[in-house]
PDB file of all heavy atoms in Angstrom:
ATOM      1  N   ASN A  30     -11.185  11.530   5.808  1.00 91.00           N
ATOM      2  CA  ASN A  30     -11.406  10.978   4.484  1.00 91.00           C
ATOM      3  C   ASN A  30     -10.121  10.765   3.728  1.00 91.00           C
ATOM      4  O   ASN A  30      -9.879   9.751   3.059  1.00 91.00           O
ATOM      5  CB  ASN A  30     -12.280  11.957   3.667  1.00 91.00           C
ATOM      6  CG  ASN A  30     -12.960  11.271   2.477  1.00 91.00           C
ATOM      7  OD1 ASN A  30     -12.370  10.587   1.759  1.00 91.00           O
ATOM      8  ND2 ASN A  30     -14.256  11.484   2.367  1.00 91.00           N
ATOM      9  N   MET A  31      -9.115  11.664   4.014  1.00 90.00           N
ATOM     10  CA  MET A  31      -7.839  11.534   3.334  1.00 90.00           C
ATOM     11  C   MET A  31      -7.023  10.329   3.916  1.00 90.00           C
ATOM     12  O   MET A  31      -6.184   9.782   3.258  1.00 90.00           O
ATOM     13  CB  MET A  31      -7.030  12.802   3.460  1.00 90.00           C
ATOM     14  CG  MET A  31      -7.494  13.958   2.646  1.00 90.00           C
ATOM     15  SD  MET A  31      -7.549  13.577   0.819  1.00 90.00           S
ATOM     16  CE  MET A  31      -9.241  13.185   0.595  1.00 90.00           C
ATOM     17  N   GLN A  32      -7.392   9.957   5.165  1.00 88.00           N
ATOM     18  CA  GLN A  32      -6.782   8.722   5.761  1.00 88.00           C
ATOM     19  C   GLN A  32      -7.073   7.568   4.827  1.00 88.00           C
ATOM     20  O   GLN A  32      -6.188   6.728   4.560  1.00 88.00           O
ATOM     21  CB  GLN A  32      -7.468   8.463   7.116  1.00 88.00           C
ATOM     22  CG  GLN A  32      -6.968   9.231   8.299  1.00 88.00           C
ATOM     23  CD  GLN A  32      -5.692   8.640   8.833  1.00 88.00           C
ATOM     24  OE1 GLN A  32      -5.578   7.430   9.114  1.00 88.00           O
ATOM     25  NE2 GLN A  32      -4.716   9.437   9.010  1.00 88.00           N
ATOM     26  N   VAL A  33      -8.346   7.491   4.363  1.00 89.00           N
ATOM     27  CA  VAL A  33      -8.736   6.382   3.464  1.00 89.00           C
ATOM     28  C   VAL A  33      -7.917   6.452   2.177  1.00 89.00           C
ATOM     29  O   VAL A  33      -7.406   5.463   1.675  1.00 89.00           O
ATOM     30  CB  VAL A  33     -10.241   6.497   3.151  1.00 89.00           C
ATOM     31  CG1 VAL A  33     -10.655   5.244   2.340  1.00 89.00           C
ATOM     32  CG2 VAL A  33     -11.070   6.547   4.437  1.00 89.00           C
ATOM     33  N   SER A  34      -7.687   7.654   1.603  1.00 87.00           N
ATOM     34  CA  SER A  34      -7.023   7.871   0.363  1.00 87.00           C
ATOM     35  C   SER A  34      -5.564   7.363   0.468  1.00 87.00           C
ATOM     36  O   SER A  34      -4.937   6.894  -0.513  1.00 87.00           O
ATOM     37  CB  SER A  34      -7.051   9.300  -0.108  1.00 87.00           C
ATOM     38  OG  SER A  34      -6.063  10.061   0.522  1.00 87.00           O
ATOM     39  N   PHE A  35      -4.948   7.378   1.681  1.00 87.00           N
ATOM     40  CA  PHE A  35      -3.547   6.944   1.843  1.00 87.00           C
ATOM     41  C   PHE A  35      -3.424   5.433   1.730  1.00 87.00           C
ATOM     42  O   PHE A  35      -2.407   4.925   1.345  1.00 87.00           O
ATOM     43  CB  PHE A  35      -3.002   7.423   3.145  1.00 87.00           C
ATOM     44  CG  PHE A  35      -2.484   8.857   3.139  1.00 87.00           C
ATOM     45  CD1 PHE A  35      -3.091   9.766   3.922  1.00 87.00           C
ATOM     46  CD2 PHE A  35      -1.427   9.216   2.329  1.00 87.00           C
ATOM     47  CE1 PHE A  35      -2.680  11.109   3.951  1.00 87.00           C
ATOM     48  CE2 PHE A  35      -0.995  10.542   2.294  1.00 87.00           C
ATOM     49  CZ  PHE A  35      -1.609  11.483   3.060  1.00 87.00           C
ATOM     50  N   LEU A  36      -4.531   4.728   1.969  1.00 89.00           N
ATOM     51  CA  LEU A  36      -4.470   3.278   1.970  1.00 89.00           C
ATOM     52  C   LEU A  36      -5.237   2.711   0.743  1.00 89.00           C
ATOM     53  O   LEU A  36      -4.934   1.513   0.409  1.00 89.00           O
ATOM     54  CB  LEU A  36      -5.119   2.699   3.228  1.00 89.00           C
ATOM     55  CG  LEU A  36      -4.563   3.192   4.556  1.00 89.00           C
ATOM     56  CD1 LEU A  36      -5.203   2.289   5.690  1.00 89.00           C
ATOM     57  CD2 LEU A  36      -3.117   3.113   4.665  1.00 89.00           C
ATOM     58  N   SER A  37      -6.101   3.416   0.133  1.00 86.00           N
ATOM     59  CA  SER A  37      -7.006   2.807  -0.876  1.00 86.00           C
ATOM     60  C   SER A  37      -6.294   2.542  -2.241  1.00 86.00           C
ATOM     61  O   SER A  37      -5.488   3.393  -2.700  1.00 86.00           O
ATOM     62  CB  SER A  37      -8.256   3.648  -1.100  1.00 86.00           C
ATOM     63  OG  SER A  37      -7.863   4.928  -1.497  1.00 86.00           O
ATOM     64  N   PRO A  38      -6.582   1.403  -2.832  1.00 82.00           N
ATOM     65  CA  PRO A  38      -6.049   1.089  -4.183  1.00 82.00           C
ATOM     66  C   PRO A  38      -6.726   1.986  -5.215  1.00 82.00           C
ATOM     67  O   PRO A  38      -7.766   2.479  -4.946  1.00 82.00           O
ATOM     68  CB  PRO A  38      -6.412  -0.396  -4.373  1.00 82.00           C
ATOM     69  CG  PRO A  38      -7.487  -0.684  -3.362  1.00 82.00           C
ATOM     70  CD  PRO A  38      -7.381   0.320  -2.317  1.00 82.00           C
ATOM     71  N   PRO A  39      -6.119   2.218  -6.380  1.00 78.00           N
ATOM     72  CA  PRO A  39      -4.872   1.641  -6.867  1.00 78.00           C
ATOM     73  C   PRO A  39      -3.614   2.434  -6.537  1.00 78.00           C
ATOM     74  O   PRO A  39      -2.559   1.947  -6.769  1.00 78.00           O
ATOM     75  CB  PRO A  39      -5.115   1.650  -8.400  1.00 78.00           C
ATOM     76  CG  PRO A  39      -6.012   2.834  -8.612  1.00 78.00           C
ATOM     77  CD  PRO A  39      -6.842   2.996  -7.424  1.00 78.00           C
ATOM     78  N   PHE A  40      -3.748   3.668  -6.022  1.00 76.00           N
ATOM     79  CA  PHE A  40      -2.539   4.498  -5.828  1.00 76.00           C
ATOM     80  C   PHE A  40      -2.364   4.870  -4.373  1.00 76.00           C
ATOM     81  O   PHE A  40      -1.729   5.890  -4.111  1.00 76.00           O
ATOM     82  CB  PHE A  40      -2.692   5.817  -6.686  1.00 76.00           C
ATOM     83  CG  PHE A  40      -2.768   5.546  -8.179  1.00 76.00           C
ATOM     84  CD1 PHE A  40      -3.863   5.972  -8.896  1.00 76.00           C
ATOM     85  CD2 PHE A  40      -1.778   4.830  -8.811  1.00 76.00           C
ATOM     86  CE1 PHE A  40      -3.926   5.710 -10.230  1.00 76.00           C
ATOM     87  CE2 PHE A  40      -1.896   4.623 -10.182  1.00 76.00           C
ATOM     88  CZ  PHE A  40      -3.010   5.054 -10.928  1.00 76.00           C
ATOM     89  N   GLY A  41      -2.846   4.102  -3.412  1.00 82.00           N
ATOM     90  CA  GLY A  41      -2.592   4.416  -2.004  1.00 82.00           C
ATOM     91  C   GLY A  41      -1.109   4.569  -1.668  1.00 82.00           C
ATOM     92  O   GLY A  41      -0.374   3.650  -1.718  1.00 82.00           O
ATOM     93  N   PRO A  42      -0.707   5.806  -1.361  1.00 84.00           N
ATOM     94  CA  PRO A  42       0.800   6.011  -1.217  1.00 84.00           C
ATOM     95  C   PRO A  42       1.392   5.204  -0.039  1.00 84.00           C
ATOM     96  O   PRO A  42       2.551   4.800  -0.197  1.00 84.00           O
ATOM     97  CB  PRO A  42       0.924   7.545  -0.866  1.00 84.00           C
ATOM     98  CG  PRO A  42      -0.456   8.064  -0.754  1.00 84.00           C
ATOM     99  CD  PRO A  42      -1.427   7.047  -1.241  1.00 84.00           C
ATOM    100  N   ALA A  43       0.657   4.984   1.041  1.00 87.00           N
ATOM    101  CA  ALA A  43       1.198   4.226   2.172  1.00 87.00           C
ATOM    102  C   ALA A  43       1.677   2.776   1.674  1.00 87.00           C
ATOM    103  O   ALA A  43       2.714   2.302   2.142  1.00 87.00           O
ATOM    104  CB  ALA A  43       0.170   4.045   3.229  1.00 87.00           C
ATOM    105  N   ALA A  44       0.903   2.169   0.768  1.00 88.00           N
ATOM    106  CA  ALA A  44       1.265   0.860   0.248  1.00 88.00           C
ATOM    107  C   ALA A  44       2.570   0.897  -0.526  1.00 88.00           C
ATOM    108  O   ALA A  44       3.445   0.037  -0.400  1.00 88.00           O
ATOM    109  CB  ALA A  44       0.179   0.355  -0.668  1.00 88.00           C
ATOM    110  N   PHE A  45       2.778   2.029  -1.317  1.00 86.00           N
ATOM    111  CA  PHE A  45       4.017   2.112  -2.125  1.00 86.00           C
ATOM    112  C   PHE A  45       5.239   2.415  -1.245  1.00 86.00           C
ATOM    113  O   PHE A  45       6.355   1.965  -1.450  1.00 86.00           O
ATOM    114  CB  PHE A  45       3.815   3.217  -3.187  1.00 86.00           C
ATOM    115  CG  PHE A  45       2.940   2.761  -4.289  1.00 86.00           C
ATOM    116  CD1 PHE A  45       1.525   3.037  -4.235  1.00 86.00           C
ATOM    117  CD2 PHE A  45       3.377   2.055  -5.360  1.00 86.00           C
ATOM    118  CE1 PHE A  45       0.653   2.625  -5.265  1.00 86.00           C
ATOM    119  CE2 PHE A  45       2.546   1.584  -6.364  1.00 86.00           C
ATOM    120  CZ  PHE A  45       1.241   1.895  -6.352  1.00 86.00           C
ATOM    121  N   TYR A  46       4.953   3.265  -0.161  1.00 84.00           N
ATOM    122  CA  TYR A  46       6.119   3.566   0.791  1.00 84.00           C
ATOM    123  C   TYR A  46       6.533   2.179   1.419  1.00 84.00           C
ATOM    124  O   TYR A  46       7.724   2.019   1.606  1.00 84.00           O
ATOM    125  CB  TYR A  46       5.565   4.525   1.886  1.00 84.00           C
ATOM    126  CG  TYR A  46       5.402   5.913   1.437  1.00 84.00           C
ATOM    127  CD1 TYR A  46       4.212   6.661   1.769  1.00 84.00           C
ATOM    128  CD2 TYR A  46       6.355   6.591   0.677  1.00 84.00           C
ATOM    129  CE1 TYR A  46       4.054   7.972   1.453  1.00 84.00           C
ATOM    130  CE2 TYR A  46       6.188   7.910   0.261  1.00 84.00           C
ATOM    131  CZ  TYR A  46       4.999   8.553   0.648  1.00 84.00           C
ATOM    132  OH  TYR A  46       4.824   9.871   0.223  1.00 84.00           O
ATOM    133  N   LEU A  47       5.551   1.421   1.848  1.00 88.00           N
ATOM    134  CA  LEU A  47       5.907   0.137   2.515  1.00 88.00           C
ATOM    135  C   LEU A  47       6.593  -0.828   1.586  1.00 88.00           C
ATOM    136  O   LEU A  47       7.553  -1.473   1.961  1.00 88.00           O
ATOM    137  CB  LEU A  47       4.673  -0.513   3.185  1.00 88.00           C
ATOM    138  CG  LEU A  47       4.943  -1.780   3.919  1.00 88.00           C
ATOM    139  CD1 LEU A  47       5.954  -1.551   5.150  1.00 88.00           C
ATOM    140  CD2 LEU A  47       3.700  -2.444   4.430  1.00 88.00           C
ATOM    141  N   LYS A  48       6.077  -0.871   0.344  1.00 87.00           N
ATOM    142  CA  LYS A  48       6.644  -1.767  -0.658  1.00 87.00           C
ATOM    143  C   LYS A  48       8.162  -1.469  -0.875  1.00 87.00           C
ATOM    144  O   LYS A  48       8.997  -2.383  -1.102  1.00 87.00           O
ATOM    145  CB  LYS A  48       5.881  -1.602  -1.942  1.00 87.00           C
ATOM    146  CG  LYS A  48       6.405  -2.516  -3.095  1.00 87.00           C
ATOM    147  CD  LYS A  48       6.197  -3.987  -2.821  1.00 87.00           C
ATOM    148  CE  LYS A  48       6.817  -4.904  -3.886  1.00 87.00           C
ATOM    149  NZ  LYS A  48       7.824  -5.796  -3.358  1.00 87.00           N
ATOM    150  N   SER A  49       8.572  -0.189  -0.736  1.00 82.00           N
ATOM    151  CA  SER A  49       9.987   0.162  -0.953  1.00 82.00           C
ATOM    152  C   SER A  49      10.928  -0.390   0.060  1.00 82.00           C
ATOM    153  O   SER A  49      12.150  -0.489  -0.181  1.00 82.00           O
ATOM    154  CB  SER A  49      10.090   1.712  -1.026  1.00 82.00           C
ATOM    155  OG  SER A  49       9.830   2.242   0.304  1.00 82.00           O
ATOM    156  N   VAL A  50      10.392  -0.827   1.274  1.00 82.00           N
ATOM    157  CA  VAL A  50      11.242  -1.306   2.317  1.00 82.00           C
ATOM    158  C   VAL A  50      10.860  -2.749   2.817  1.00 82.00           C
ATOM    159  O   VAL A  50      11.487  -3.288   3.635  1.00 82.00           O
ATOM    160  CB  VAL A  50      11.321  -0.362   3.559  1.00 82.00           C
ATOM    161  CG1 VAL A  50      11.989   0.919   3.178  1.00 82.00           C
ATOM    162  CG2 VAL A  50       9.898  -0.157   4.106  1.00 82.00           C
ATOM    163  N   ALA A  51       9.735  -3.305   2.268  1.00 85.00           N
ATOM    164  CA  ALA A  51       9.283  -4.563   2.629  1.00 85.00           C
ATOM    165  C   ALA A  51      10.081  -5.737   2.056  1.00 85.00           C
ATOM    166  O   ALA A  51      10.763  -5.531   0.982  1.00 85.00           O
ATOM    167  CB  ALA A  51       7.793  -4.769   2.243  1.00 85.00           C
ATOM    168  N   PRO A  52      10.051  -6.910   2.675  1.00 85.00           N
ATOM    169  CA  PRO A  52      10.778  -8.070   2.067  1.00 85.00           C
ATOM    170  C   PRO A  52      10.201  -8.346   0.670  1.00 85.00           C
ATOM    171  O   PRO A  52       9.087  -8.073   0.333  1.00 85.00           O
ATOM    172  CB  PRO A  52      10.365  -9.238   3.036  1.00 85.00           C
ATOM    173  CG  PRO A  52      10.017  -8.526   4.315  1.00 85.00           C
ATOM    174  CD  PRO A  52       9.461  -7.274   3.928  1.00 85.00           C
ATOM    175  N   PRO A  53      11.107  -8.907  -0.224  1.00 85.00           N
ATOM    176  CA  PRO A  53      10.719  -9.105  -1.650  1.00 85.00           C
ATOM    177  C   PRO A  53       9.457  -9.964  -1.809  1.00 85.00           C
ATOM    178  O   PRO A  53       8.738  -9.824  -2.828  1.00 85.00           O
ATOM    179  CB  PRO A  53      11.930  -9.834  -2.247  1.00 85.00           C
ATOM    180  CG  PRO A  53      13.027  -9.583  -1.280  1.00 85.00           C
ATOM    181  CD  PRO A  53      12.426  -9.360   0.030  1.00 85.00           C
ATOM    182  N   ASP A  54       9.171 -10.881  -0.825  1.00 87.00           N
ATOM    183  CA  ASP A  54       8.053 -11.767  -1.017  1.00 87.00           C
ATOM    184  C   ASP A  54       6.701 -11.108  -0.790  1.00 87.00           C
ATOM    185  O   ASP A  54       5.598 -11.654  -1.063  1.00 87.00           O
ATOM    186  CB  ASP A  54       8.111 -13.081  -0.145  1.00 87.00           C
ATOM    187  CG  ASP A  54       8.159 -12.677   1.319  1.00 87.00           C
ATOM    188  OD1 ASP A  54       8.956 -11.751   1.668  1.00 87.00           O
ATOM    189  OD2 ASP A  54       7.461 -13.303   2.139  1.00 87.00           O
ATOM    190  N   ILE A  55       6.750  -9.877  -0.231  1.00 88.00           N
ATOM    191  CA  ILE A  55       5.482  -9.111   0.027  1.00 88.00           C
ATOM    192  C   ILE A  55       5.183  -8.243  -1.186  1.00 88.00           C
ATOM    193  O   ILE A  55       5.861  -7.341  -1.461  1.00 88.00           O
ATOM    194  CB  ILE A  55       5.545  -8.273   1.311  1.00 88.00           C
ATOM    195  CG1 ILE A  55       5.684  -9.234   2.519  1.00 88.00           C
ATOM    196  CG2 ILE A  55       4.402  -7.367   1.458  1.00 88.00           C
ATOM    197  CD1 ILE A  55       5.880  -8.487   3.825  1.00 88.00           C
ATOM    198  N   THR A  56       4.118  -8.602  -1.933  1.00 88.00           N
ATOM    199  CA  THR A  56       3.765  -7.872  -3.194  1.00 88.00           C
ATOM    200  C   THR A  56       2.811  -6.736  -2.838  1.00 88.00           C
ATOM    201  O   THR A  56       2.229  -6.642  -1.804  1.00 88.00           O
ATOM    202  CB  THR A  56       3.104  -8.833  -4.166  1.00 88.00           C
ATOM    203  OG1 THR A  56       1.867  -9.333  -3.582  1.00 88.00           O
ATOM    204  CG2 THR A  56       4.003 -10.042  -4.526  1.00 88.00           C
ATOM    205  N   LEU A  57       2.622  -5.873  -3.863  1.00 86.00           N
ATOM    206  CA  LEU A  57       1.713  -4.787  -3.693  1.00 86.00           C
ATOM    207  C   LEU A  57       0.257  -5.324  -3.514  1.00 86.00           C
ATOM    208  O   LEU A  57      -0.519  -4.759  -2.693  1.00 86.00           O
ATOM    209  CB  LEU A  57       1.671  -3.852  -4.918  1.00 86.00           C
ATOM    210  CG  LEU A  57       2.583  -2.576  -4.849  1.00 86.00           C
ATOM    211  CD1 LEU A  57       2.497  -1.819  -6.113  1.00 86.00           C
ATOM    212  CD2 LEU A  57       2.122  -1.663  -3.643  1.00 86.00           C
ATOM    213  N   ALA A  58      -0.089  -6.396  -4.209  1.00 89.00           N
ATOM    214  CA  ALA A  58      -1.440  -6.971  -4.090  1.00 89.00           C
ATOM    215  C   ALA A  58      -1.631  -7.453  -2.625  1.00 89.00           C
ATOM    216  O   ALA A  58      -2.701  -7.282  -2.079  1.00 89.00           O
ATOM    217  CB  ALA A  58      -1.495  -8.143  -5.057  1.00 89.00           C
ATOM    218  N   THR A  59      -0.555  -8.032  -2.051  1.00 91.00           N
ATOM    219  CA  THR A  59      -0.666  -8.538  -0.633  1.00 91.00           C
ATOM    220  C   THR A  59      -0.904  -7.338   0.247  1.00 91.00           C
ATOM    221  O   THR A  59      -1.751  -7.419   1.229  1.00 91.00           O
ATOM    222  CB  THR A  59       0.607  -9.269  -0.229  1.00 91.00           C
ATOM    223  OG1 THR A  59       0.913 -10.281  -1.146  1.00 91.00           O
ATOM    224  CG2 THR A  59       0.477  -9.886   1.135  1.00 91.00           C
ATOM    225  N   ILE A  60      -0.152  -6.213   0.031  1.00 92.00           N
ATOM    226  CA  ILE A  60      -0.231  -5.069   0.885  1.00 92.00           C
ATOM    227  C   ILE A  60      -1.687  -4.471   0.801  1.00 92.00           C
ATOM    228  O   ILE A  60      -2.307  -4.225   1.838  1.00 92.00           O
ATOM    229  CB  ILE A  60       0.759  -4.024   0.531  1.00 92.00           C
ATOM    230  CG1 ILE A  60       2.179  -4.526   0.810  1.00 92.00           C
ATOM    231  CG2 ILE A  60       0.528  -2.663   1.311  1.00 92.00           C
ATOM    232  CD1 ILE A  60       3.364  -3.605   0.310  1.00 92.00           C
ATOM    233  N   PHE A  61      -2.237  -4.305  -0.412  1.00 91.00           N
ATOM    234  CA  PHE A  61      -3.549  -3.686  -0.538  1.00 91.00           C
ATOM    235  C   PHE A  61      -4.637  -4.674   0.018  1.00 91.00           C
ATOM    236  O   PHE A  61      -5.592  -4.154   0.700  1.00 91.00           O
ATOM    237  CB  PHE A  61      -3.853  -3.476  -2.025  1.00 91.00           C
ATOM    238  CG  PHE A  61      -3.277  -2.185  -2.531  1.00 91.00           C
ATOM    239  CD1 PHE A  61      -2.468  -2.118  -3.637  1.00 91.00           C
ATOM    240  CD2 PHE A  61      -3.569  -0.978  -1.895  1.00 91.00           C
ATOM    241  CE1 PHE A  61      -1.901  -0.935  -4.154  1.00 91.00           C
ATOM    242  CE2 PHE A  61      -3.017   0.253  -2.293  1.00 91.00           C
ATOM    243  CZ  PHE A  61      -2.200   0.246  -3.450  1.00 91.00           C
ATOM    244  N   ARG A  62      -4.420  -5.968  -0.083  1.00 92.00           N
ATOM    245  CA  ARG A  62      -5.412  -6.946   0.509  1.00 92.00           C
ATOM    246  C   ARG A  62      -5.370  -6.832   2.014  1.00 92.00           C
ATOM    247  O   ARG A  62      -6.374  -6.828   2.733  1.00 92.00           O
ATOM    248  CB  ARG A  62      -5.127  -8.305   0.087  1.00 92.00           C
ATOM    249  CG  ARG A  62      -6.214  -9.324   0.306  1.00 92.00           C
ATOM    250  CD  ARG A  62      -6.156 -10.602  -0.460  1.00 92.00           C
ATOM    251  NE  ARG A  62      -4.864 -11.283  -0.340  1.00 92.00           N
ATOM    252  CZ  ARG A  62      -3.961 -11.398  -1.279  1.00 92.00           C
ATOM    253  NH1 ARG A  62      -4.099 -10.841  -2.440  1.00 92.00           N
ATOM    254  NH2 ARG A  62      -2.844 -12.131  -1.041  1.00 92.00           N
ATOM    255  N   SER A  63      -4.183  -6.584   2.617  1.00 92.00           N
ATOM    256  CA  SER A  63      -4.012  -6.432   4.077  1.00 92.00           C
ATOM    257  C   SER A  63      -4.651  -5.140   4.622  1.00 92.00           C
ATOM    258  O   SER A  63      -4.969  -5.118   5.784  1.00 92.00           O
ATOM    259  CB  SER A  63      -2.470  -6.440   4.421  1.00 92.00           C
ATOM    260  OG  SER A  63      -1.864  -7.518   3.827  1.00 92.00           O
ATOM    261  N   LEU A  64      -4.807  -4.154   3.717  1.00 93.00           N
ATOM    262  CA  LEU A  64      -5.312  -2.895   4.218  1.00 93.00           C
ATOM    263  C   LEU A  64      -6.856  -2.798   4.260  1.00 93.00           C
ATOM    264  O   LEU A  64      -7.342  -1.848   4.851  1.00 93.00           O
ATOM    265  CB  LEU A  64      -4.745  -1.771   3.278  1.00 93.00           C
ATOM    266  CG  LEU A  64      -3.218  -1.525   3.276  1.00 93.00           C
ATOM    267  CD1 LEU A  64      -2.832  -0.455   2.291  1.00 93.00           C
ATOM    268  CD2 LEU A  64      -2.754  -1.202   4.653  1.00 93.00           C
TER     269      LEU A  64
END
């Protein structure tokens, strides 16, 4: 169940970790939609 929490919006930590190193054109909205 916690696996889901790492990816689920609005505060999924995995999305924020990736955003910190992703190319500038990849937005948080794009990441959450991809998940």
Side-chain angles (χ1 to χ4, degrees):
N30 200 312
M31 289 302 99
Q32 278 280 311
V33 185
S34 80
F35 278 115
L36 305 190
S37 59
F40 299 119
F45 289 92
Y46 288 134
L47 182 62
K48 179 67 185 118
S49 67
V50 293
D54 60 312
I55 293 177
T56 62
L57 263 178
T59 307
I60 295 172
F61 279 125
R62 196 160 57 247
S63 309
L64 295 178

